[in-house]
Amino acid sequence: MHYDYLVVGAGLFGAVFANKMKEKNKTCFVIDKRPNVAGNIFTENTKKIQVHKYGAHIFHTSNREVWNYVNRFAEFNHYVNSPVARFKDELYNLPFNMNTFSKMWGIKTPQEAKRKIGEQIRELGITEPRNLEEQALSLVGTDVYEKLVKGYTEKQWGRDCKELPAFIIKRLPLRFTYDNNYFNDPYQGIPKGGYTRMVENMLADVPVLLGVEYKQFLKENEEQGERKVTFDKVLYTGMIDEYFDYCLGELEYRSLRFEEEILEGEENYQGNAVVNYTEREVPYTRIIEHKHFEFGRQPDTVITREYPAEWKRGDEPYYPMNDEKNEALFARYRELAEKEGNVLFGGRLGQYKYYDMDKVIEAAWKMCAEEA
């Protein structure tokens, strides 16, 4: 019952780490507080539809090695992320592209769109943005900001755009082509049969214990006497401040609340996997219709309304608040972590960083290389 690593968290980071270390002839024992593997990319079969239980996850990468790796564990389809934004009764294509601009202003050419946006930016005369609102206006002009950025951003962060720092939006890509593909990455899709099956395949032949918290596991494991699980190192993918019992204070996060609805007898609710609602008056940021991720033709459908929420202890943390105050606090926690000689911290919670899925895999690989 001795292992090289105790892996705390059966999400993507923990699963990739355990899988790669197994390839290096190292042993891992994986635990997770949830009753399932896959963390926030967990998918569940409902009405023969793979429902993304913790928000829409579209895999995309420019790294051919990462793409080849995930295809070892799942067959990916050809899904391309092309969300739609709804502002009142108006529908716009995302990302901001010629379809968006044509609908907004009745123009047809890239030159007309650039001229319209440039005129609005010049009229505003913002040279040194003092907050997120001024930053966004200086990048996309008034119309795009008011209809497609302002309300959505304020819901997402729970604050007025004038109260948010400018650095949150470094850029807002404007594409002057009629292309609704949200990502520029050459490799993208959804694993057929869902992400859960993919992660299960990563963890094949790796012992996994579900439904147990880390500190609860340590306590109960100690009570096992000679039968206890022993290990040389820990990979901890939970919240770094929680690991240290919040001794320096709480890092801040944004959370989400999901409202799932099964619509029996309704084959197609909104015609697209993701529709963003950009008015602040609409309390949710988007509606996800899960069947469209796999081009489903089931007689029923499942939708999820996604509500941003303030995070408080005990809630699921989704987005780290990477402002100056929280980055400074995280740096102090990182100093504590470096003194924990036999504990590694990984993933978006352990490293207090928002990762796309391909970057999670790359970060786990890097850690494995450093450990080998």
Side-chain angles (χ1 to χ4, degrees), residues 59 67 70-71 74-78 188-192 195 198:
F59 196 91
W67 182 244
V70 294
N71 275 272
E75 181 184 357
F76 279 71
N77 65 21
H78 59 283
Q188 55 186 299
I190 303 287
K192 295 179 180 180
Y195 286 99
M198 182 184 81

Side-chain angles (χ1 to χ4, degrees), residues 123-165:
E123 286 175 9
L124 293 165
I126 299 169
T127 53
E128 294 185 15
R130 296 166 296 177
N131 52 53
L132 185 148
E133 176 164 289
E134 292 186 356
Q135 173 76 350
L137 285 167
S138 69
L139 293 171
V140 297
T142 308
D143 291 343
V144 174
Y145 170 72
E146 290 288 344
K147 291 189 174 185
L148 301 178
V149 178
K150 178 178 169 62
Y152 190 92
T153 304
E154 290 179 344
K155 288 190 287 189
Q156 197 76 323
W157 292 96
R159 301 182 204 168
D160 191 285
C161 285
K162 294 187 182 71
E163 299 170 6
L164 291 165

Side-chain angles (χ1 to χ4, degrees), residues 1-3 6 29 217 221 224-225 227-231:
M1 298 287 284
H2 181 79
Y3 297 88
L6 172 68
F29 186 86
F217 171 80
N221 186 51
Q224 293 296 312
R227 293 179 294 117
K228 71 181 181 182
V229 173
T230 57
F231 41 87

Side-chain angles (χ1 to χ4, degrees), residues 358-372:
D358 62 329
K359 302 306 181 189
V360 169
I361 293 170
E362 290 175 6
W365 283 357
K366 181 181 178 184
M367 183 176 286
C368 290
E370 292 168 350
E371 286 296 295

